[in-house]
Amino acid sequence: MNNTDRFAEFILPPVASLAHRGGRNEGLTTSKIILKAENISRRFRSGNGFIDVLKGVSLEIKEGEILSIVGPSGAGKSTLLHIMGLLDKPSSGRTLFKDKDLYLLSMGEQARLRNSSFAFIFQFYHLIPELNILDNILLPYMISYSVVGWKIRSRVLKDKAMSLINRLGLEHRLSHTPGQLSGGEQQRVAIARALITDPEIIFCDEPTGNLDSQTTSEIQNLIVELNRQNGKTFVIVTHNENIARCSHRIIRLVDGQIVETK
Amino acid sequence: MYKIFLAWRYLLSRKIIFLAVGGIAVGVMALIVVTSVMGGFSKEMRERIRGTSAHLNITSGDSYFVPNFQKVIEQIKSTEEVVGYAPRLEWGALLGSGLNFVQIIGIEPLLEKNVNAYEKYLSHGTPLEFPEKTWNNLPPVIIGNQLKYDLDDIISLTTLKLKSGIPVPVRQDFQTTGKFRTGMFEYDSNIYIPLKTAQDFLGVDEGVTKICLTIKDYRNVESVREQLRQKLGSLGYFRLNTWEEEKRNLLRAVATEKNINAFLLFFIVVVAAFNILALLTMRVVEKTKDIGILISLGARPYGIMWLFIWQGLLVATIGSVIGVIAGYTLAYYLNPIEDFIYHRSGWKLFPPDIYYLEKIPSEINYFTILIIVIATLLVSLLFSIYPALKASRLNPVDALRYE
């Protein structure tokens, strides 16, 4: 049993890997919209002029779906992901999460959403190099808890993180820092960190862009299984056709506009 | 909770941060040692000033001499709280043939002993008393050791005495029968002569310029002053000053010297705090990507700001703790350390013949240490704010892309 299977077994009961079946994910049963982007535009200053990276993009993300955003480099995929994930602000348009306009929320409410409802998985893992695996995974909780709250809850939270680490097969790397792990191991730690707060939407920015084909396949399986069994919503920016094929819907973005939805 | 935790991890990850810790520690240590020595020195000076001064001094408010001198003495004697009094005649004179101005003080030695600890500062084993007769029949004087005369030397004093309201120069020879030193120039250039001799020299029968008093409990000085003011009201116009009021300028000078030293030395701490500013600014650049990660995980700009402020405060706290321990130890064992250096190198750090002190005075004041630590933390906080604000204003997307 490889590490990904062990992880999936912990998160959910064992099922056959979708990636091994090689087909589209068509198991979405809900039609409830969790996130809605309306007419999103994003303009950046460039020298003396401006560049319009997004030009009135509108899309709806359903609860429990895997949505892939594909397109050529510079099409605005990551910018759209950042705007939907509250890391960037649109120049115009609005983003609704459960019918709430995200950019009308206070800074504190936005931070709370990023901490507990949203999660990010990045291409370059983005782990804190000074912290070991356990502390990296616990970091979202450390951010949300006060010192007193942490003292009270730390044992339970550490147990939760330890279970994740054990299921990831990284228990022998417990005291290791990210620099001492392989790319695949680092990405598994990043996934565990994204999952620990039980978020509603997981935004993935090229999650396998820096991994070999074997590890890419493992991560891809993991995403699909998490979606099928736990109903996690994934928004994935990718160039990888296999990952795109495993999603419920694919949006193709070219030159800041949606040109195709499959 | 992540702010202190991560700040601590960040500090431990870079050895260069210990330079900033060392800078703060050296600054705090220097401040504690210098303020302790200056505090000890200031206390010693105050003791000396106090030792050679009376609690309360009565002078005339509108003339050189105390009016109704004998009646004033009677009123003083009838005041319960007053335990000693001594009349003085203080006047200016020129010493020798040059323009060497000195203060001559006519005293009654037996009474003078009751109003100050002057005798403590006498040297050459001479008690505070004048012989009945000197070997060449000249009037006796006791001189401060700033005056370059030896025992049994003959000195010549020239002054102006008032004859029918007109000043007339007079000159007289005296013989030194005692010397004293207090370590303070202001006192060590005075000349003490018997009161009667001084009155004859100036041609003022029973004239005194000041009456010095000792009070049973100095804390009651204000009530005694008020009592005397009422009693003496009908006898003339008098000034009643405490020793602190009389020596206000000198005391202020000593305190000012202490404060100026502390102020100047505090710049060591300021320079060390600049290290914190530089290191934190560098850390913000180094940790740009981490800032983006933390924001993506739900950290607020305010939290990012405190993450860096905590780093500055941790450096300052560790530096202050080390500085307090080192400074306290150094101030406490200053004299053994000085002895050690002297025995090893032959270099005397604090020559006793300059200040007339057998050892380096050092008074460790815990309140001063507390002030030093608080000031150090505040300055470090101030210097941490700029890089911390810079960190908190980073755009998370740009931060995540930073390489």
Side-chain angles (χ1 to χ4, degrees), chain B residues 84-87 108-116:
Chain B
Y85 71 94
E108 283 192 24
L110 289 175
L111 294 176
E112 195 71 25
K113 284 177 185 175
N114 297 328
V115 293
N116 62 42

Side-chain angles (χ1 to χ4, degrees), chain A residues 13 33 59 76 140 171 222 255:
Chain A
I33 291 163
L59 63 90
E171 62 273 17
L222 189 56
D255 197 22

